[in-house]
Amino acid sequence: MLCYRINSSVNSDTATFYTPPYTPSACNGFKNDGVMIAAASNELWGNGAACGNNYKVKCLSGTNAGVPHPCKDNTDVVVTIVDFCSPGCQGTLDLSQEAFAKIADRNEGKINIDFQQV
């Protein structure tokens, strides 16, 4: 049996982060989904179809001059979509602070990323 990944191409955009509490979430209410999670912007949300999707995210660079080299070298993180980042969201993915900290300095606040559904 062959399996195909849908939307497995690499995309580039931006990511921000949000802080606890992570519940309730739009996907799972008060279920604890751990900390390697993210909220999807309108671009990915699909009226909730994004719930449970996993994305591999890699920091490319900062978006401002605040932190000279915000990305952690050759590091990526896999996050699960558990929430919706409402209109006005500042990034395509709004990562948990723990997921953001795995790939970048949180002092940057917003980073340029590559992301891919896995």
Side-chain angles (χ1 to χ4, degrees), residues 16-76:
T16 52
F17 71 90
Y18 65 113
T19 58
Y22 298 129
T23 58
S25 70
C27 296
N28 300 316
F30 286 94
K31 178 184 171 213
N32 181 347
D33 293 302
V35 296
M36 291 300 126
I37 57 174
S41 66
N42 268 334
E43 180 179 336
L44 298 175
W45 183 243
N47 290 324
C51 288
N53 288 347
N54 294 306
Y55 287 90
K56 181 168 74 169
V57 183
K58 180 178 175 105
C59 179
L60 300 176
S61 65
T63 60
N64 61 56
V67 179
H69 304 288
C71 298
K72 297 189 177 174
D73 291 336
N74 299 316
T75 304
D76 54 46

Side-chain angles (χ1 to χ4, degrees), residues 6-17:
I6 298 172
N7 299 324
S8 63
S9 62
V10 175
N11 300 286
S12 297
D13 213 315
T14 59
T16 52
F17 71 90

Side-chain angles (χ1 to χ4, degrees), residues 73-84:
D73 291 336
N74 299 316
T75 304
D76 54 46
V77 65
V78 175
V79 295
T80 302
I81 301 298
V82 299
D83 216 343
F84 175 60

